[in-house]
């Protein structure tokens, strides 16, 4: 079984008269232990794909199996619980709670997950230690640099031992040298067995991943593992349709 | 409690505290609305209850074996007059009640006529209640003499121009602590010799029992006011158990004397202490509820303030709510969190409001000479109401927060 299996996923936004296909018949699989980078220019649908993978949004059509569970069958409340247990998010803008210590930020998912208080604190300390912030656990986000904040966010993503870590442009808002540090942490986590899906538009960041999926206009145009081209399953459209491109451009406005 | 299943109380509390610290002024102002609301409810409710208690204790002090006969209403040509307006109750009625062999339960009968008049002594003057009484009044109504003597039966028969003063009148006319025995006062320009002073009984304003002048009944009726009827007959019944029997005996006796056959057409009313107490309680209770009702409006306004602040908070924290949902917070958790914030504000607003309200009432009680009694029920009520205000006005904002879609909320700038 695959960890993630997407088949024929489409997402259509209705804005007035115009239908915008943010995702158009996407199918791919992610195995346990993979490190996948999803690349594409802005408006290519990679953020929408990330929201669907993260169970923050539902596809218009298609099937998304996470650990062989059909995610379309779950209610919003059940999805919240699955996000808590199975998915670790790392956002572009860190999204730490303001005026809250690093330690507390890391503990939030465990509070929602019903982990016992003593265990919560122990685990949060361990994880902050692991991302190199052992001495800054009582600092609030305002007292941390961008790179440090992102490392807190990574620690937070790991608290519930998720099946998959979803990182959306994790280096988009931090200095280059800190970005490398953050990417090394991801690489290390992958070596330890974590499955990581990374979304980025920077080629040098994507280089850290073993597999690169390129999106354009809501479709997969390339899927390479360690530099080797992979067959794109069920791809009906090999050549982008001109009119579709124009419609997609509405999205960027 | 059910919501504790979703998130421990301690966590909710510390999360809320972080928010409050961030918006100290705003949280303080929101709480202030509740503080003022609860404080006014407590202060006014206590004020009402204290006046009620004061009036009740004064009525109770009359004695439980007292009956008061007052003139009824006169209906002339279809126009109904007010109670007490009839002029049919006379000194002769009182004497007949006292001497009748049909009435077995009565001990003492005190006929009286009272009216306000201007009283002068030298250059000073005051407007006070003039009581035309017989000696029986002092024992029936438990008025004791501090100095001098009381009105005697002889004074009544001779229509003597003598007066017994209440301590308030003494200090108004002669100054505090003066000895006016033997001095002359004028009531409606008629000179009276002061022969006694009553002991202080207390009471304030309308119920001040010390602001009175007692003169012989006959003098009051014929000399001062020129009337031949009574305003009350106070009757001491031999014991508490025979109150209703006495009420019946006197009632039928007076009907017969006034040549009336239908009890519903009676031109008098007989009231026991209990009747007076009930009437007074009804009035003061209405008054108390009215005050509390006014105060409740300010509490409502305070609640709307809370709702307003919570709505602003929800909008401001849209991204945070989105993040929390992404991290696994369910609708219930988000609802509980925002509801808890509202309830914590109103609860502590309630605590402060109770303290402030008790303080305000303490000052008022001191100024108005009222008993300082806070009923535990009003404190419990205040706690309950302030918490309920939090839940009521926090519910809508909390629901709004919980219904946000995680993706919309995360995108929100």
């Amino acid at each position: 079984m695959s960890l993630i299996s997407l088949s024929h996923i489409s997402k259509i936004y209705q804005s007035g008269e115009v239908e915008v296909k943010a995702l158009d018949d996407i199918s791919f699989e992610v195995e346990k232990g993979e490190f996948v980078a999803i690349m594409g220019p802005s408006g290519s649908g990679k953020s929408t794909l990330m929201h669907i993978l993260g169970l923050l949004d539902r596809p218009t059509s298609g099937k998304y199996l996470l650990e062989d569970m059909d995610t379309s069958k779950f209610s919003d409340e059940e999805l919240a619980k699955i996000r808590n247990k199975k998915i670790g998010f790392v956002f572009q803008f860190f999204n730490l709670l303001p005026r809250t210590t690093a330690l507390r930020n890391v503990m939030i998912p465990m509070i929602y997950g019903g982990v016992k208080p003593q265990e919560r604190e122990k685990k949060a300390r361990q994880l902050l230690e692991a991302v190199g912030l052992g001495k800054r656990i009582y600092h609030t986000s305002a007292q941390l640099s961008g790179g440090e904040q992102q490392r807190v966010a990574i620690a937070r993503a790991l608290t519930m031992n998720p099946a998959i870590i979803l990182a959306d442009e994790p280096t988009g808002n931090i200095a280059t040298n800190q970005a490398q540090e953050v990417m090394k942490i991801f690489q290390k986590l992958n070596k330890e067995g974590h499955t990581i899906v990374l979304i980025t538009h920077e080629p040098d960041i994507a280089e850290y991943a073993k597999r690169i999926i390129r999106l354009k206009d809501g479709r997969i145009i390339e899927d390479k593992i360690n530099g080797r081209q992979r067959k794109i399953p069920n791809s009906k459209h090999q050549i982008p349709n001109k009119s579709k491109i124009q419609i997609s451009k509405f999205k960027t406005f | 409690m059910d919501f504790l299943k979703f998130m421990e109380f301690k966590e909710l509390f510390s999360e809320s505290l972080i928010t409050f610290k961030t918006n100290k002024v705003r949280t303080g102002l929101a709480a202030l609305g509740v503080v003022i609301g609860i404080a006014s409810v407590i202060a006014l409710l206590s004020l009402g209850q204290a006046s009620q208690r004061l009036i009740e204790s004064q009525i109770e002090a009359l004695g439980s074996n007292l009956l008061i006969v007052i003139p009824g209403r006169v209906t002339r040509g279809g126009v109904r007059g007010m109670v007490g307006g009839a002029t049919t109750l006379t000194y002769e009625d009182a004497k007949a009640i006292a001497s009748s062999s049909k009435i077995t339960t009565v001990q003492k009968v005190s006929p009286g006529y009272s009216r306000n008049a201007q009283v002068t002594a030298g250059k000073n003057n005051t407007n006070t209640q003039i009581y035309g009484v017989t000696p029986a009044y002092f024992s029936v109504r438990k008025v004791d003499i501090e100095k001098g003597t009381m009105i005697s039966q002889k004074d009544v028969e001779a229509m003597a121009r003598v007066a017994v003063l209440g301590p308030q009148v003494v200090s108004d006319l002669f100054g505090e602590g003066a000895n006016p025995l033997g001095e002359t006062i004028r009531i409606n320009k008629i000179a009276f010799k002061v022969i006694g002073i009553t002991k202080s009984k207390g009471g304030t304003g309308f119920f001040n029992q010390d602001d009175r002048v007692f003169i012989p009944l006959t003098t009051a009726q014929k000399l001062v006011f020129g009337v031949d009827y009574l305003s009350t007959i106070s009757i001491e019944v031999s014991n508490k158990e025979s109150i209703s029997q006495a009420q019946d005996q006197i009632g039928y006796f007076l009907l017969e004397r006034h040549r009336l056959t239908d009890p519903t057409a009676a031109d008098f009313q007989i009231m026991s202490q209990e009747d007076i107490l009930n009437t007074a309680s009804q009035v003061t209770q209405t008054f108390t509820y009215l005050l509390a009702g006014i105060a409740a409006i300010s509490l409502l306004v305070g609640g709307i303030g809370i709702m307003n602040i919570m709505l602003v908070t929800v909008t401001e924290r849209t991204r945070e709510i989105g993040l929390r949902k992404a991290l696994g917070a369910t609708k219930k958790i988000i609802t509980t969190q925002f509801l808890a914030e509202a309830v914590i504000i109103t609860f502590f607003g309630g605590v402060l409001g109770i303290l402030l309200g008790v303080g305000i009432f303490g000052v008022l009680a001191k100024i108005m000479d009222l008993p300082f009694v806070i009923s535990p029920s009003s404190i419990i009520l205040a706690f309950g109401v302030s918490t309920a205000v939090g839940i009521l006005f926090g519910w809508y904002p909390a629901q709004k927060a919980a219904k946000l879609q995680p993706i919309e909320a995360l995108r929100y700038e």
Side-chain angles (χ1 to χ4, degrees):
Chain A
M1 81 178 207
S2 302
L3 181 61
I4 285 174
S5 161
L6 298 185
S7 50
H8 307 291
I9 294 283
S10 291
K11 179 75 188 179
I12 299 165
Y13 291 107
Q14 195 86 33
S15 70
E17 293 287 295
V18 190
E19 265 191 2
V20 178
K21 272 196 174 175
L23 291 178
D24 187 3
D25 196 34
I26 296 257
S27 300
F28 68 89
E29 289 178 350
V30 176
E31 304 299 328
K32 197 174 178 314
E34 274 197 278
F35 189 169
V36 186
I38 295 174
M39 284 196 71
S42 69
S44 60
K46 58 189 193 308
S47 284
T48 307
L49 182 58
M50 151 99 174
H51 289 146
I52 287 172
L53 284 175
L55 299 171
L56 295 168
D57 204 358
R58 292 172 192 267
T60 313
S61 63
K63 209 170 202 176
Y64 171 17
L65 302 181
L66 175 65
E67 288 187 334
D68 278 351
M69 298 179 292
D70 184 353
T71 56
S72 64
K73 299 225 166 77
F74 295 116
S75 68
D76 286 354
E77 297 296 89
E78 283 166 327
L79 286 181
K81 280 171 192 159
I82 294 169
R83 281 198 295 271
N84 180 256
K85 301 260 175 337
K86 300 281 176 202
I87 297 165
F89 287 98
V90 179
F91 299 98
Q92 182 176 359
F93 298 99
F94 327 130
N95 287 26
L96 299 181
L97 293 181
R99 291 167 201 85
T100 305
T101 61
L103 185 68
R104 199 177 166 78
N105 264 300
V106 175
M107 291 199 297
I108 297 285
M110 293 191 273
I111 295 172
Y112 296 150
V115 178
K116 287 196 183 90
Q118 305 90 320
E119 265 176 66
R120 285 208 288 258
E121 179 152 356
K122 203 175 136 203
K123 181 112 194 228
R125 279 172 187 279
Q126 261 173 18
L127 288 168
L128 283 166
E129 199 87 47
V131 296
L133 289 173
K135 285 185 178 140
R136 319 209 69 174
I137 57 171
Y138 292 115
H139 289 225
T140 62
S141 31
Q143 297 163 319
L144 297 169
S145 73
E148 286 170 330
Q149 288 189 53
Q150 199 57 298
R151 282 189 271 158
V152 174
I154 293 170
R156 181 180 63 190
L158 293 170
T159 48
M160 299 299 288
N161 298 320
I164 175 173
I165 295 168
L166 282 180
D168 186 4
E169 303 273 10
T171 56
N173 269 297
I174 49 185
T176 322
N177 58 333
Q178 290 181 329
Q180 284 170 357
E181 222 172 307
V182 165
M183 289 317 296
K184 274 179 191 148
I185 293 174
F186 278 120
Q187 227 164 19
K188 189 171 147 246
L189 288 172
N190 179 241
K191 275 193 190 123
E192 288 165 7
H194 286 278
T195 311
I196 297 168
V197 175
L198 172 81
I199 286 172
T200 184
H201 66 277
E202 297 170 71
D204 50 333
I205 294 298
E207 283 306 308
Y208 286 89
K210 295 177 195 159
R211 176 180 174 191
I212 298 175
I213 296 175
R214 282 179 202 279
L215 286 187
K216 198 180 174 191
D217 301 325
R219 273 175 242 125
I220 296 175
I221 54 167
E222 192 181 64
D223 189 348
K224 274 185 180 170
I225 291 184
N226 296 323
R228 273 175 50 203
Q229 185 74 33
R230 234 182 147 198
K231 185 178 170 280
I232 303 163
N234 300 319
S235 46
K236 287 185 285 192
H237 331 265
Q238 285 296 346
I239 306 149
N241 181 317
K242 250 192 174 174
S243 70
K244 287 252 168 63
I245 295 169
Q246 274 180 339
I247 291 167
S248 303
K249 275 191 178 162
F250 279 106
K251 251 195 99 213
T252 59
F253 284 104
Chain B
M1 277 181 279
D2 202 35
F3 75 84
L4 293 185
K5 263 197 286 182
F6 309 121
M7 210 167 152
E8 302 109 84
F9 183 74
K10 196 182 144 245
E11 291 302 334
L12 269 178
F13 196 76
S14 39
E15 294 260 320
S16 303
L17 280 190
I18 292 169
T19 318
F20 297 155
K21 270 188 210 155
T22 314
N23 299 304
K24 274 181 209 136
V25 175
R26 183 199 289 177
T27 310
L29 287 175
L32 191 63
V34 178
V35 171
I36 292 171
I38 291 289
S40 41
V41 168
I42 288 281
L44 293 180
L45 208 59
S46 307
L47 199 65
Q49 283 170 341
S51 341
Q52 189 172 348
R53 206 163 295 191
L54 181 74
I55 292 165
E56 280 171 7
S57 71
Q58 280 170 355
I59 293 167
E60 270 158 15
L62 296 174
S64 55
N65 51 351
L66 181 77
L67 282 179
I68 294 177
V69 186
I70 59 166
R73 58 172 105 245
V74 206
T75 304
R76 223 176 264 132
V79 180
R80 275 160 67 92
M82 65 176 252
V83 171
T87 55
T88 46
L89 212 56
T90 61
Y91 190 13
E92 280 63 42
D93 284 335
K95 283 184 198 162
I97 292 169
S99 56
S100 167
S101 57
K102 283 185 199 160
I103 299 172
T104 53
T105 48
V106 166
Q107 232 160 24
K108 270 185 179 155
V109 179
S110 158
Y113 181 80
S114 69
R115 201 152 126 185
N116 265 39
Q118 207 68 22
V119 181
T120 57
K123 280 176 186 165
N124 298 327
N125 75 95
T126 178
N127 190 293
T128 181
Q129 192 87 1
I130 311 295
Y131 277 73
V133 296
T134 63
Y137 182 89
F138 295 91
S139 68
V140 172
R141 299 298 277 265
K142 300 186 181 66
V143 177
D144 292 328
I145 297 296
E146 172 94 45
K147 270 187 209 156
T149 57
M150 59 179 197
I151 309 280
S152 68
Q153 190 59 37
K154 250 172 140 182
D155 294 330
V156 175
E157 275 157 21
M159 242 202 279
R161 295 174 189 186
V162 291
V164 173
L165 308 184
Q168 181 70 48
V169 180
V170 173
S171 64
D172 284 350
L173 292 179
F174 300 97
E176 195 95 38
N179 183 3
L181 288 186
E183 301 280 343
T184 301
I185 61 165
R186 286 173 187 277
I187 303 168
N188 281 0
K189 294 179 181 138
I190 300 161
F192 282 80
K193 189 179 158 198
V194 178
I195 57 163
I197 301 168
T198 62
K199 262 191 191 149
S200 175
K201 281 192 95 171
T204 47
F206 199 62
F207 299 96
N208 192 342
Q209 299 183 69
D210 297 340
D211 194 8
R212 283 170 189 178
V213 173
F214 302 97
I215 59 175
L217 174 64
T218 47
T219 319
Q221 281 185 316
K222 297 193 173 97
L223 223 54
V224 183
F225 299 114
V227 298
D228 57 0
Y229 53 88
L230 300 177
S231 48
T232 54
I233 302 174
S234 307
I235 296 164
E236 193 184 310
V237 180
S238 32
N239 56 55
K240 210 174 145 185
E241 285 65 42
S242 22
I243 280 281
S244 59
Q245 197 193 345
Q247 229 164 343
D248 283 349
Q249 285 180 347
I250 297 163
Y252 286 115
F253 180 76
L254 281 178
L255 276 178
E256 212 179 293
R257 260 187 72 85
H258 291 182
R259 296 178 209 294
L260 297 166
T261 44
D262 179 9
T264 58
D267 54 1
F268 57 87
Q269 280 187 12
I270 307 173
M271 296 196 296
S272 66
Q273 180 213 34
E274 213 182 303
D275 299 332
I276 302 170
L277 207 57
N278 286 343
T279 314
S281 299
Q282 263 176 20
V283 174
T284 50
Q285 219 161 54
T286 310
F287 175 67
T288 306
Y289 289 150
L290 187 74
L291 286 179
I294 292 167
I297 293 172
S298 65
L299 189 61
L300 182 75
V301 175
I304 294 170
I306 294 282
M307 175 133 81
N308 200 5
I309 291 297
M310 291 308 295
L311 283 174
V312 172
T313 306
V314 169
T315 311
E316 257 185 12
R317 287 159 69 190
T318 301
R319 269 183 81 86
E320 180 200 317
I321 295 162
L323 169 77
R324 287 179 185 277
K325 286 200 151 185
L327 296 182
T330 55
K331 272 185 193 163
K332 279 173 191 159
I333 288 174
I334 300 287
T335 306
T336 311
Q337 188 190 338
F338 280 87
L339 214 49
E341 281 182 24
V343 171
I344 290 169
I345 296 178
T346 54
F347 183 82
F348 284 101
V351 173
L352 285 177
I354 288 168
L355 294 177
L356 184 67
V358 169
I360 291 171
F361 171 59
V363 173
L364 286 177
K366 190 129 199 180
I367 293 170
M368 298 169 78
D369 204 13
L370 290 170
F372 182 75
V373 196
I374 307 266
S375 66
S377 65
S378 61
I379 301 282
I380 293 165
L381 188 77
F383 266 122
V385 166
S386 60
T387 309
V389 163
I391 294 173
L392 198 69
F393 291 96
W395 184 256
Y396 174 63
Q399 281 301 305
K400 223 182 143 186
K403 278 190 189 138
L404 284 173
Q405 286 300 311
I407 166 171
E408 297 298 328
L410 273 172
R411 271 203 206 127
Y412 186 87
E413 295 298 333

